Structure formats: structure tokens, C-alpha cells
Amino acid sequence: MIPALKTSAKNGQSITSWEEDEYMDTLVEIQDVTKVIKGRTIIDSVSFDVKKGEVFGFLGPNGAGKTTTIRMLVGLIGITSGDIKILGSSIKTDFEKAVSHIGAIVENPEMYKFLSGYQNLIHYARMSKGVTKEKIDETVELIGLTDRIHDKVRTYSLGMRQRLGLAQCLLHDPQILVLDEPTNGLDPAGIREIRDHLRMLARDRDMAVIVSSHLLSEMEMMCDRIGIIQNGKLIDVQHINDFVQGNEKVYEVEVDDPDKAQRMLKSIYPELPIQVTENSVFLPLVRDGIPEMIKEFVRTDVKIFAVREVTKTLEDRFLEVTEFKGGAGHARTDSK
Amino acid sequence: MPGLIQNEWMKIFRRPGTYVMIGLLLIMTTVAGAFIKYQESGGTVPDNTEWKRGLQTQNESYQKQLEEMGEMVPRDMKEQYQREIALNKYRIQHDISPNEEYSIWGFVSDTSQLIEFAGLFTIIIAGGIVASEFTWGTIKLLLIRPIKRVKILGAKYITVILFGLMLLAVLFGYSALLGGLLFGFPEKAIPYLYYYNGTVQEQSMGLHLIAYYGLKSINMLMLATMAFMISAVFRNSSLAIGLSLFLMFMGGQVTRLIAMKYDWAKYSLFANTDLLQYYEGVPMVQGMTLGFSIMNILIYFLLFQVLAFYVFNKRDVSA
């Protein structure tokens, strides 16, 4: 569904290539955005695009600049240089138009506790053009709060508040959904619910969804693409599958004599990092290299019991990327 | 914009505290009414056949004092005496007795003291209206709507002013109602006399009281504006409310003290918010005029607004 997008982000210079007609599908363009607060560069020329129907994950350790970037996206924080375009309208110069396409929850959805859920929605409905009573009822129905909507928000559980938050950002039928840490503080059932909602919205309504999180497992299940941010720099943007796997995959080969196998492999692929366990060897390979490798094993009379692909988790990959590309050595830097 | 004001109005009136404020205002008016009624029934209506003579002697004694003291007499006392003499002369000439019976008008005029409390409540609302959004965390969801921040803040300010005016209307309306019930209407309409620029003029009582309330509420509205500014700039409602209340109770006094020694006190906000001083009293510093005070009020008003709007518009919402 989503055309493969080749994006290489190095020092914020993003080279993005696509075919002409896909221009229409790009809903959010973040162009070389920098934020400096009191002489400190919080965000350093970050650029990326988000397209229709895609869930874009924004991943990074605490304090890396996820929240700041998201707040710049919705106009809560000013942009020092660069620009953010929402459906072609700049958030800087054409705020009202740009923001009218966005629905957002920034961190926890704080509602007016002394108002009922319904009154909260009325409050926000009055602030957007053309939100009817029917639309409010419909949204309430969608997020499944119909029974409790006339109760005071004070009496809601965190999950219900989160759902009300979702209702609030869906009222004006936005094309872009921005969620900052949407699953913070939710129990597994709540997390799952939010995840299902997001997936459904992106798929059925063709919305672009931007989610930030530091929970890797979360992102793995929710997102189509993820951007990794560290120390204010966007260090990588990849498809979730490419990202998890990288270009090479690691294969585990179960053999009768691992030491012999290792000696043989060393002689053929001298620079490959090969790991040996009691009855198997691990080596990174591209898919096309597998038959060649098996041939070699057979030739040197090593018995093969199994060849398995080792799936890397997002976590492994994340730590790998933040360590190598960020240059900081540690994924966790200063906290918020 | 009407929707935004409606929103703010809803957020004020969905909180029980607001009703407590209005309730307190009504209770205080009621207590004042009961107290005055009780006192009145104990006293007797003064004998008023000889009032012209009385005023005459009063004038003579004022005149004598002024002459005796000559240059020694303080400026404000002198002006006070001149005003009294002019008013008394006018009464004698036009046959307007000073001994009117206490009626609805007297009561409405007396309850204008409670404008201070209306001011207090307006300051509480003004101090919280922006700062609370920050403490509740709702500011984030409020500012990501397709509405410019200037409009949101503007709606909040208009709501504060509307709230203040509503309290004034409640106070005025309830006082008039209660006054009418307890003390009745005067048999014949007595005009109100005021002294401005050396001449005495007549005005209808109802009109006078509305003007009186209006002028008295300038102080309250200016302080509410200040509380609103502090609320928007510092995002701290306690600071906004505390500082504004302190200045409301102390500002006038302190300015008066400074004014005794220094002329520049006339540039203080509090020397200027009481426009009644030009009609019923003596300006705080010599040489102050109505125009000067209005200018000053406008300058302070603009200063507060510019500060509030500039800071609010530029602010990074990051907490």
C-alpha cells in the first residue's frame, strides 16, 4: 500500500525520492526544523514527511526531543528555523488553516474535570468550524463512551479519559492525527484499545497518524514507518520491517561441528562477525548468499540440521542504531 | 468569537465557586439592608422646617474658618469647603431640602460600597482564567484549535469584563429591589446635585446612581485587567489574585501617602482610577484633571493588554 520510500537522514539532510503522483499523498512535511531555547539546540534540523494512510512512529529515549517536535507540529511551541507544512499550509504563517487539519493529544489528554465528557466535547466543537451535534454523538459512539458521556470527567478512569481525548481530536474530521505518548499510563487492555483505534483510523479513514513513544514493543505493533530521534537529531527513518531487520539478516545454522564450520566460514568470509554456540553458528548474510553458504558446508562435510533466520527485535535494533548513528554511545541521555 | 466567550462563560458557571461568590454578594446586600432598616426604625425623621437657616449658618461658619486660617488652610480642605458652600447656596436658592427621607436611592447608593467585593470576585476570576488552563493542563488542547491565540485571549478578557459587569448588575438590581421593598420610593423625585468646575448641576437620581456605579467600578475593572495580565504573563493565579487584591486594598492608601510628599504620585494608577474625585471630592494631587486621569487609565490599560497579549502569543507551551 505504501510505496517504498528511500529516505536517508544524515545530519538532518533528508533526500527523499518518489514519483510525481505521490505528492498528493504527503500530508505533513517537516522541513529542516530547528529549535533553539536559550542558546541550546533542542531540535537540530529535523526533516521528514508523513503520508496518507500511514502510521508514523516517532521513537527516541526520554529527552531526545520527541515531545518538542510534536509540539512544534501543532503550534504549541514556536519554530526557530525551518518550517512545517500541513497539506501545504505553513504552521508558522497560516496557523489556523494548517491546524484545522490536525487532531492531537499532547501527552495525557487533560480535560476540564468539572465539566461532563459531553460538555468538554461541546467546548472543543465550538472551536472548530462545522461540528454538528450529530457529529459529536457519532464520535462518542465510535469511541464507545455513550453510557458515561454525561458524567463529570472527574469520575472517569484513565482509559476513559484517553478515549475522550481521542474523541476530542476526531470531532472535526482531521486528516492528520498527532499523538504524543498515547499509551502512557494505560493498562494493557487500554493500550490495545488505543492501538486498534489508531490502526482502524489510518486504514479506514486514510488518515496520517503520527505517534511518539519510547516503548519499542508498542511501536513495533502500531507503526508502518518509524523515525528515530536522539539528542534532537533525526538519525534514521525506516519502514518498520526494514528497520527491525536491517538489510542483512542473521542466520543460525545448526551443525554437528560448530568449530569446524567456523574455521571454514572464516576462510571464505574473513570479515564476517561469526558467533559460535554449542551446536550452531550465527552469521549475518543476505538472502541470496544462503545457497552458496550451504554448498560450502556440504563441500567441507559439515552436517546441517537446520538453517533459521534470527528475528531481531525492535529493541535490539533501536539500541544498535542509537549507539552507532547517534555517536553518543548510550541510548539514554538526559531525562526530561 | 461568540462561541469562545460562551465556552469561557460555561467554564466559569460550571464551577460551584462562582455561585458562592454571587451568593455572598447577595447575602451581604441583604444584611446591609436589614441593618439599615433596623437602625432607621429607631431614629426619627429630622425636623426640617428650618433647614434654610441651618444651611445659612453652616455656610457662614465655613466662610469664617476659611478667612481665619487664610494661607494655612490645606488645599483639599479649602476645596471641600468651597464645594459645600456652593451646594448649600444652590439648595437655598432652588428650595431643595437636604433632609430627604431614606429611600431606595439612599440604599442603592450605600450598597455601592459592596462594589469592592464585586471587584474582589472579578479579580479572582480574572486571575484564574488563563493561569488555571496551565495548571489544569488544558491549555494544550485549547491552543491546538484552528483559532489564533490572540482571539482566545481576547475572548477570555471579554468574559472577565462581562463577569464583572454581571456582578455589578446583580448588585445594582438586587439593591434596587431590596431598597424598594424595605424603604420604598420617595414621594417626589429629588434631583441629585453635583459640583464640577465651580458650578452646581442637577441630575436625576437613577441616572446619577448608574453613573456612580460605573465610575466606582473603574477601579475594579482596572485591577481585574491587571490580574488578567499577571495571569497571562506568569501563569500563576495565586500571584495574580494576591497581588491585585493587595493593590486593591492598599494601592489607594499608599498613593495617598506618597501624594502628600511627591507630585509624581499622580502618575500612579490608583491616583486616577477614582474619577468620582472630580465630582464629589478633591483630586489627590493638585492640578490633576478628569482628562489627565482618563489618559492615565487608558495608558495603563494598554500597557496591561500589550504585555498580556505579547507574552501569551509568544509563549512556548512546554510543560
Side-chain angles (χ1 to χ4, degrees), chain B residues 169-195:
Chain B
V170 165
L171 181 64
F172 190 90
Y174 186 68
S175 301
L177 188 78
L178 197 70
L181 282 175
L182 291 178
F183 308 108
F185 287 81
E187 279 146 31
K188 67 180 173 75
I190 307 156
Y192 176 76
L193 301 180
Y194 68 93
Y195 175 81

Side-chain angles (χ1 to χ4, degrees), chain B residues 25-287:
Chain B
L25 202 60
L26 295 182
I27 289 171
M28 282 188 285
T29 314
T30 314
V31 167
F35 191 70
I36 293 171
K37 182 77 185 168
Y38 174 76
Q39 272 198 326
E40 188 201 38
S41 55
T44 51
V45 184
D47 173 28
N48 58 0
T49 46
E50 288 289 301
W51 61 269
K52 278 190 183 173
R53 268 190 74 93
L55 291 186
Q56 200 74 51
T57 34
Q58 206 181 5
N59 269 4
E60 277 159 17
S61 88
Y62 282 152
Q63 204 70 50
K64 209 169 135 198
Q65 275 186 44
L66 281 178
E67 275 160 22
E68 271 174 7
M69 292 170 77
E71 289 300 299
M72 299 277 287
V73 67
R75 181 188 59 88
D76 55 346
M77 199 202 231
K78 189 174 153 196
E79 284 182 24
Q80 183 76 33
Y81 281 176
Q82 280 170 348
R83 181 170 165 269
E84 288 294 325
I85 293 169
L87 285 176
N88 286 346
K89 270 187 187 156
Y90 191 90
R91 282 183 187 282
I92 296 166
Q93 269 169 25
H94 292 82
D95 201 27
I96 302 167
S97 164
N99 303 320
E100 30 185 291
E101 277 194 58
Y102 194 80
S103 73
I104 169 173
W105 305 126
F107 183 64
V108 174
S109 168
D110 282 346
T111 52
S112 72
Q113 300 297 328
L114 294 177
I115 289 178
E116 294 253 310
F117 283 94
L120 188 148
F121 298 145
T122 312
I123 286 171
I124 291 175
I125 293 291
I129 200 160
V130 180
S132 297
E133 298 275 2
F134 281 94
T135 36
W136 295 331
T138 45
I139 190 78
K140 293 177 293 191
L141 290 184
L142 195 69
L143 294 186
I144 57 169
R145 306 290 138 187
I147 291 171
K148 287 208 175 83
R149 289 187 184 191
V150 173
K151 280 193 201 162
I152 292 178
L153 194 65
K156 281 186 178 293
Y157 183 69
I158 292 172
T159 309
V160 167
I161 296 304
L162 286 179
F163 183 80
L165 293 180
M166 185 217 64
L167 286 183
L168 278 181
V170 165
L171 181 64
F172 190 90
Y174 186 68
S175 301
L177 188 78
L178 197 70
L181 282 175
L182 291 178
F183 308 108
F185 287 81
E187 279 146 31
K188 67 180 173 75
I190 307 156
Y192 176 76
L193 301 180
Y194 68 93
Y195 175 81
Y196 179 63
N197 268 349
T199 53
V200 176
Q201 271 154 26
E202 283 185 29
Q203 198 178 32
S204 95
M205 210 56 180
L207 212 62
H208 158 69
L209 282 174
I210 290 173
Y212 189 69
Y213 266 63
L215 291 178
K216 272 206 143 182
S217 55
I218 288 175
N219 193 30
M220 130 191 174
L221 293 180
M222 283 306 290
L223 281 164
T225 308
M226 192 175 93
F228 180 78
M229 181 272 287
I230 299 174
S231 180
V233 171
F234 296 101
R235 292 171 295 167
N236 185 336
S237 58
S238 341
L239 180 73
I241 296 169
L243 193 60
S244 305
L245 284 187
F246 175 76
L247 287 175
M248 176 169 153
F249 291 117
M250 298 301 294
Q253 251 73 294
V254 172
T255 310
R256 206 168 284 279
L257 275 178
I258 298 172
M260 282 162 50
K261 252 191 120 79
Y262 304 103
D263 229 22
W264 51 258
K266 68 179 176 187
Y267 296 107
S268 148
L269 173 63
F270 305 100
N272 294 293
T273 47
D274 179 20
L275 294 183
L276 278 172
Q277 61 187 331
Y278 299 108
Y279 296 99
E280 311 218 312
V282 184
M284 206 177 271
V285 178
Q286 197 171 10

Side-chain angles (χ1 to χ4, degrees), chain A residues 113-254:
Chain A
K113 291 196 175 76
F114 50 88
L115 299 180
S116 71
Y118 194 73
Q119 284 162 344
N120 267 289
L121 292 183
I122 293 258
H123 176 265
Y124 293 119
R126 283 196 191 122
M127 300 182 81
S128 295
K129 283 194 189 78
V131 183
T132 57
K133 280 237 155 49
E134 290 76 47
K135 181 70 200 169
I136 298 178
D137 294 338
E138 190 190 309
T139 313
V140 171
E141 189 82 41
L142 175 79
I143 48 131
L145 262 183
T146 317
D147 301 342
R148 297 286 308 277
I149 196 68
H150 290 289
D151 293 352
K152 290 242 189 300
V153 172
R154 201 191 303 283
T155 65
Y156 285 15
S157 69
L158 185 60
M160 291 168 73
R161 282 178 205 184
Q162 197 70 260
R163 275 191 275 170
L164 188 61
L166 210 51
Q168 159 275 130
C169 66
L170 292 174
L171 275 182
H172 51 293
D173 274 330
Q175 284 176 270
I176 298 144
L177 219 53
V178 179
L179 305 160
D180 189 12
E181 309 266 359
T183 53
N184 248 4
L186 285 182
D187 58 12
I191 291 178
R192 194 194 166 131
E193 205 179 286
I194 289 280
R195 194 168 62 222
D196 293 346
H197 271 304
L198 290 187
R199 273 266 166 236
M200 184 269 289
L201 289 167
R203 206 176 43 237
D204 299 353
R205 300 200 178 180
D206 239 5
M207 292 166 95
V209 183
I210 301 176
V211 205
S212 88
S213 180
H214 60 268
L215 294 172
L216 301 139
S217 52
E218 256 326 285
M219 300 299 257
E220 202 166 358
M221 283 184 272
M222 268 195 279
C223 306
D224 299 311
R225 272 199 309 151
I226 52 174
I228 295 191
I229 188 165
Q230 193 185 20
N231 293 333
K233 284 182 183 153
L234 191 67
I235 52 180
D236 210 354
V237 179
Q238 280 186 12
H239 271 270
I240 190 82
N241 294 327
D242 296 353
F243 176 73
V244 174
Q245 298 306 343
N247 293 323
E248 289 178 331
K249 288 169 183 170
V250 173
Y251 291 92
E252 178 189 3
V253 187
E254 214 177 304

